[in-house]
Amino acid sequence: MSKAIYLDFGRCIYCRACEVACEREHDGLKSIFVVLRERFAVPLDCRHCEKSPCLAICYTQALTRSPEGAVVLDVTKCTGCKLCVFACPFGLISFDSVNKVVAKCDLCLRRIEEGKEPACVSTCPTRALYYDEYETFMERLMKRSALILGRSLLVRR
Amino acid sequence: MIETPATKKSLVLTICPYCGAGCGLYVVAEDGKAVGIEYMPEHPLNEGALCPKGNAALEVLYHADRLRYPMKKTKGNWERISWDEAIDLVASNLAQVCSDYGPDALGFLSSAKCTNEENYLFQKLARLIGTNNVDHCARLCHSPTVAILSKTLGSGAMTNLIPELANSTCIFVTGSNFAENHPLVSRWVLDAKERGAGVIVADARFTPTAWLADLFLQIKPGTDVALINGMIRVILDEGLFKRDFIARRTTGFDELARSLEGYTLEEAAAITGVPVASIIKAARAYARAEAGAMVYCMGITQHITGSDNVAACVNLALVCGQIGRPGAGLFPLRGQNNVQGACDMGALAEFYPGYQRVDNEAARGKFEEAWGVSLSPEPGLTVMEMVNAAAEGRIKAIYIMGENPLLSDPNAHHTREALSKLDFLVVQDIFLTETAQLANVVLPAVAWAEKEGTVTSTERRVQWTEQAAIPLEEAKTDLWIICQVAKRLGFDLGDADAAVVLTEINRVVSIHAGITPERVRNAVGGLIWPCPSPEHPGTPILYTQEFGTPDGRGKFTPVTYRPPVEQTRADFPFVLITGRVVMHYNAGSMTRRSLSLAKRVPEAFIEVNPRDAERLSLAQDEKVRVATERGEASARVEVTERVAEGVVFMPFHFPEVNVLTIDALDPKAKIPEYKVAACRIERGDD
């Protein structure tokens, strides 16, 4: 299975390095948004959905599936109708009011081709964002929970 | 430098110019211009990661506000002048004051953002001229750390490396909001948590750092000694102190125990506002931990009791033997990218390079020999003392390099008055900062990526940062400027070659003796001092066998709680805490000019508890006037549970905020009490 960006929610400290990095890599337009609640923050990034609503609704096929599995935008085909903006259940597609087209996460495919990780993943100070195979990520989570459960049983209070 | 032939771009290794974490990043250089940044996964501290400021680091490089040529103030207007004229003006004015009033009528403010080599030469220049009035902003943040840790442990620095926090089993964080101000520290603390470590956070605010806490102690501002003494009380009562460690490796335990005899947990709880049960829990967890770490920062140091607060932290660490082992240590998080280095290089009124006191005959003799002059034996004026002396006319001229005291010092109206009284003020900076606007002469310095040299992070990690870009127009390296001014004054400081200056530093600073240009340029992650010889690998953990004190033992220092200077009263009913947020850096001259950062936090704000907001009928985002005895500032209201009732918080990255703070100083370290002032809030339309 191809790699995807996984979120380790408990590690987000609301620093927004991912937002700043994404903007820098994409001409000032970010596609990751960190939402602050009173006692925690959640980084919301494009899930490159398997059954992608944005891809489905685009009537010019400006949105297509790349070989890596990412949902990518061809701006030359975008008419700026913004239907995909409404379709995304997470609200992660933005409208570029300068160029009158939409902007969305491209999984930093250019960086991936160079053997790097998406900018948001590379930059995250706390590793709240991982770019990995599903199995590797789940293994990591399970190992951690097992350790914490085990230790809480063994610890003398 | 790494070249990629296909694209003709090179990756230049630099160290982030912002905080003291010392993250490595590559600047992508093309034809002498910095065109991008790239992450550096091989760096041992940040492993490629960067906080938002690091990501935005290039935004200041080619900013329109960058100073491009020297200027002098003529009839209130700025006039462009040549370097020749500029250096002449600076040298002649400093020489004039020196001859009219003596060298101690001069003040030198060095820069915690400049390199070790630059700091070394700057303090050398001041001392060659005949004064020890050389200091820098460390005075305003970790001077208690330098003063107290040197005396009690041996070195005013962090004892272990940051990634080692991942090996701690209990991390006690007091007065540090590292999640915002040293984000990379969070990485390793979270790793520790993943391995089952407990995290205790003591702070007056529920910060993003507190999100990480298993136990949060919300203390009343300025009550740290009361809390820590309470924790030590528990540890003594329950026999959790490390008898063997205390006997073998410390002095003064009996005095400490005696000093706490009448002290009860009820008293601690009453003073701090922290329940007795929480104090007990925190004490037990830290004392019993296999490897306990204590992280502290401005919440501990920026008080009139800052020195006492640091001493209390040392007492707690020593009583539990939580020092000198992997994962067990004291972690004062230094602020600036090179504040550790500026201190190491002696840009301090009382210390020569390497922390040798100026009033110590042997130390002075050594430098007199090395530099070929006789040196003044009197410790000089510190930052705040210089400002006060300027106000009183005892200091007539100040040479400021890379500092913005009008925004960084407390009681800004007083600072402005003081600096305006000077006969001559020269400011060397990359922007025309608020302080530079008061100057007679302004010298354009290069920005971080336009020069090379070593910088020392909070980990004692000395790293070489390479030059990635050609200096902007007529901007020069601080190193060159200092050498030119020195030459015009008749002192030969060399040819402004950083590697050559480092070689001199190797000769006179024993902890840097082995950090030679050849070694440090080729070491990813640099070298960790003490590094006393060219074969020495560096010292990640301090005090593994003995402390750096004359008798090799750590010292206990009994301390008693004293309240902050300014108490709330009817007309100033709120406790005002000032501090930082992740998106900005200190006085904000760089971050307020970085669009990515400034747009996210564009203006001063004041955190107000929801119940206080309701009582005062304050709405979220409303503009209010905040006033203290010293002045007023306007700010946007942020209604949040982060602060307790009766307490408010403002970030000092904006010009108005230090108008409000008090310049009361800790008597030992001379640090201002930024963390406590009494204020009131007035609605904008009143």
Side-chain angles (χ1 to χ4, degrees), chain A residues 48-60:
Chain A
H48 296 277
C49 306
E50 301 289 342
K51 288 184 184 166
S52 163
C54 67
L55 197 157
I57 211 160
C58 179
Y59 71 96
T60 62

Side-chain angles (χ1 to χ4, degrees), chain B residues 233 236-237 254-264 267:
Chain B
R233 170 87 268 139
L236 295 178
D237 287 345
D254 292 332
E255 264 167 29
L256 176 75
R258 258 199 309 274
S259 75
L260 291 175
E261 251 158 35
Y263 193 61
T264 62
E267 193 180 339

Side-chain angles (χ1 to χ4, degrees), chain B residues 22 74 501 549 673:
Chain B
T74 323
V501 179
T549 49
E673 185 150 69

Side-chain angles (χ1 to χ4, degrees), chain B residues 192-252:
Chain B
K193 284 195 71 168
E194 225 159 279
R195 294 173 195 174
V199 175
I200 305 163
V201 173
D203 200 311
R205 294 164 68 220
F206 190 77
T207 61
T209 304
W211 297 353
L212 274 46
D214 297 295
L215 177 61
F216 174 59
L217 311 174
Q218 187 153 29
I219 60 168
K220 292 200 190 124
T223 60
D224 310 87
V225 165
L227 173 69
I228 296 179
N229 277 351
M231 290 171 71
I232 298 179
R233 170 87 268 139
V234 174
I235 290 162
L236 295 178
D237 287 345
E238 300 190 6
L240 296 172
F241 52 97
K242 291 286 187 298
R243 275 168 234 273
D244 183 54
F245 179 88
I246 290 168
R248 277 187 306 111
R249 300 200 53 188
T250 70
T251 56

Side-chain angles (χ1 to χ4, degrees), chain B residues 222-350:
Chain B
T223 60
D224 310 87
V225 165
L227 173 69
I228 296 179
N229 277 351
M231 290 171 71
I232 298 179
R233 170 87 268 139
V234 174
I235 290 162
L236 295 178
D237 287 345
E238 300 190 6
L240 296 172
F241 52 97
K242 291 286 187 298
R243 275 168 234 273
D244 183 54
F245 179 88
I246 290 168
R248 277 187 306 111
R249 300 200 53 188
T250 70
T251 56
F253 176 70
D254 292 332
E255 264 167 29
L256 176 75
R258 258 199 309 274
S259 75
L260 291 175
E261 251 158 35
Y263 193 61
T264 62
L265 294 184
E266 287 67 29
E267 193 180 339
I271 297 170
T272 60
V274 176
V276 168
S278 301
I279 301 178
I280 293 174
K281 236 174 160 174
R284 284 177 183 167
Y286 177 74
R288 285 182 180 155
E290 221 172 277
M294 192 180 331
V295 177
Y296 77 86
C297 208
M298 302 292 96
I300 283 286
T301 58
Q302 288 181 331
H303 293 272
I304 55 156
T305 56
S307 297
D308 287 355
N309 296 345
V310 173
C313 289
V314 173
N315 290 344
L316 181 58
L318 290 179
V319 116
C320 300
Q322 297 288 17
I323 195 157
R325 292 177 289 115
L330 202 53
F331 294 74
L333 299 177
R334 305 303 297 264
Q336 291 275 10
N337 59 318
N338 197 31
V339 67
Q340 182 70 59
C343 289
D344 300 343
M345 293 299 105
L348 293 168
E350 73 273 52

Side-chain angles (χ1 to χ4, degrees), chain B residues 454-509:
Chain B
T454 60
V455 290
T456 307
S457 77
T458 185
E459 295 184 292
R460 295 173 279 112
R461 189 188 294 277
V462 182
Q463 307 184 87
W464 184 272
T465 181
E466 291 179 14
Q467 179 177 357
I470 301 172
L472 189 68
E473 289 195 38
E474 293 186 36
K476 298 280 188 206
T477 65
D478 298 88
L479 204 64
W480 182 90
I481 303 172
I482 298 167
C483 289
Q484 289 298 306
V485 172
K487 194 148 91 176
R488 209 63 64 96
L489 286 169
F491 303 108
D492 179 12
L493 291 186
D495 293 317
D497 181 332
V500 172
V501 179
L502 180 55
T503 313
E504 182 177 334
I505 293 169
N506 295 148
R507 282 199 301 274
V508 299
V509 183

Side-chain angles (χ1 to χ4, degrees), chain B residues 502 506 512-521 527 534:
Chain B
L502 180 55
N506 295 148
H512 282 66
I515 304 182
T516 62
E518 304 72 48
R519 288 187 80 196
V520 76
R521 274 166 137 157
L527 287 161

